[in-house]
Amino acid sequence: MRSGFFRFALFWTMTVTGAVATAAPLQMHEVAPGVYVHQGAHQDFDDVDYDGDIANIGFVVGKQAVAVIDTGGSFDIGSSLAQAVAKATPLPIRYVINTHVHPDHILGNAAFAGGNIQFVGHAQLAAAMYESQDAYLREAPARADGGKNTVVLPTIKISEPQRLDLGGRTLLLQSWGPAHSTTDLTVLDEQTETLWTGDLLFTERTPFVDGDVKGWILAIDTIKQKPVARLVPGHGSSPKDQAAAWDAQRRYLLTLQSDITQGIDKGQDMSEVMQHAAAQEKDKWRLFDVINPRNVNLLFPKMEWQ
């Protein structure tokens, strides 16, 4: 039976994921028994050497199967993640779960397409991915094998809390209203109490807003009331002090919102507001000078008409 698993893993690696067979496995850290995380780099999409490796991605191993959680921002990163799974276990991948729509979390999906793997996401994720795919694919890092980049949509859509069984191990999936994005999903490994937050939590790196600040703060307040053994944020290292991590992000979002509101009330235009919004947060976050202006650019027009 064991040799059969190894034959299956080899077959899957060479035929389902194509270029995976030549990809080097990503460096993974087993943060809890059977829970593997790869921490992305603090780079920006516009960096000349951007390769799609900026998000925290990984997988959970049950007794019968594996669930991958986010696949990275390029086909090649997804391929390297698939190789890391094959290196860690001969068990087959049953699910690929995307925590939200952003390309640094979903463009590696194509490396897992085929076979019996099911793709899972928020109830609104498929529509959001479909609407964004042209833009995402225009900016996607080129594949090392010269192949065409594609977007793989979820077929299992989560609207209510739902469990996925990996054999003696369950993952609890919960969708959220508009917050960081409009498609946020958290994944709790109930065996080790490890919560994959997706981009509902940033540590170190400046939080990026693409949804609704008020909804994001509400999600923070809700999740914070249910402490877990460990958090896997969407970006940055797993915090030792969970409450402090949530509070830091909450403080940034409230400060950003307040400063934009004050600027609008004073009759300032968006370029003026960009100069001072959340300025007191600058030294607390990586990539602040890149991401914070983007947040103002997105929020200012919405808030101006409220």
Side-chain angles (χ1 to χ4, degrees):
M1 179 64 70
R2 183 172 174 82
S3 62
F5 272 131
F6 277 110
R7 287 195 299 272
F8 177 86
L10 179 61
F11 173 81
W12 177 85
T13 300
M14 297 184 67
T15 62
V16 174
T17 61
V20 169
T22 60
L26 281 180
Q27 181 180 9
M28 309 299 300
H29 299 282
E30 190 174 9
V31 299
V35 180
Y36 295 83
V37 178
H38 171 77
Q39 184 175 328
H42 288 307
Q43 285 186 306
D44 184 55
F45 290 101
D46 292 335
D47 289 351
V48 293
D49 58 346
Y50 174 72
D51 62 359
D53 186 16
I54 65 172
N56 294 343
I57 60 180
F59 55 94
V60 178
V61 181
K63 293 182 179 179
Q64 298 174 353
V66 178
V68 169
I69 303 174
D70 285 335
T71 58
S74 70
F75 179 87
D76 293 340
I77 295 301
S79 297
S80 293
L81 177 59
Q83 278 290 84
V85 175
K87 180 179 179 181
T89 177
L91 293 173
I93 297 172
R94 183 176 294 169
Y95 303 106
V96 168
I97 304 166
N98 290 136
T99 62
H100 64 289
V101 69
H102 291 149
D104 50 319
H105 294 259
I106 61 101
L107 284 181
N109 284 7
F112 298 88
N116 296 318
I117 298 174
Q118 299 186 75
F119 290 79
V120 186
H122 188 285
Q124 304 301 320
L125 180 61
M129 289 171 69
Y130 182 79
E131 292 171 0
S132 303
Q133 64 180 336
D134 290 345
Y136 287 177
L137 293 176
R138 280 196 302 271
E139 301 299 327
R143 289 172 52 161
D145 64 358
K148 181 180 178 181
N149 282 303
T150 57
V151 170
V152 179
L153 308 181
T155 55
I156 298 178
K157 302 176 182 181
I158 307 298
S159 56
E160 300 292 335
Q162 182 173 331
R163 286 179 170 83
L164 301 179
D165 184 12
L166 302 179
R169 187 171 211 152
T170 55
L171 303 180
L172 176 62
L173 278 57
Q174 181 171 348
S175 60
W176 298 85
H180 162 71
S181 72
T182 59
T183 58
D184 295 308
L185 183 80
T186 55
V187 183
L188 175 66
D189 171 40
E190 296 185 305
Q191 180 170 315
T192 64
E193 293 189 336
T194 300
L195 180 67
W196 300 71
T197 68
D199 282 5
L200 286 175
L201 179 63
F202 286 69
T203 66
E204 301 156 4
R205 182 187 181 98
T206 306
F208 171 62
V209 182
D210 190 32
D212 179 78
V213 172
K214 292 181 180 178
W216 197 347
I217 292 170
L218 179 62
I220 290 171
D221 292 343
T222 302
I223 298 172
K224 184 182 173 183
Q225 297 306 312
K226 303 175 181 179
V228 293
R230 67 192 53 78
L231 298 170
V232 179
H235 297 269
S237 59
S238 181
K240 294 181 179 179
D241 188 334
Q242 296 180 23
W246 289 117
D247 288 346
Q249 182 173 263
R250 190 179 195 277
R251 184 195 64 238
Y252 168 76
L253 294 172
L254 285 172
T255 302
L256 177 66
Q257 186 180 46
S258 176
D259 287 354
I260 293 174
T261 297
Q262 291 180 29
I264 292 171
D265 290 344
K266 293 177 181 178
Q268 296 176 340
D269 62 27
M270 185 165 64
S271 62
E272 292 177 292
V273 173
M274 279 185 184
Q275 300 304 311
H276 66 78
Q280 59 267 52
E281 293 286 313
K282 178 179 172 64
D283 295 333
K284 300 178 176 67
W285 302 96
R286 304 278 294 271
L287 298 175
F288 182 89
D289 290 335
V290 174
I291 298 172
N292 192 65
R294 291 176 185 163
N295 289 338
V296 176
N297 187 67
L298 184 138
L299 292 174
F300 184 93
K302 294 181 180 179
M303 295 173 63
E304 191 176 27
W305 291 101
Q306 289 179 353

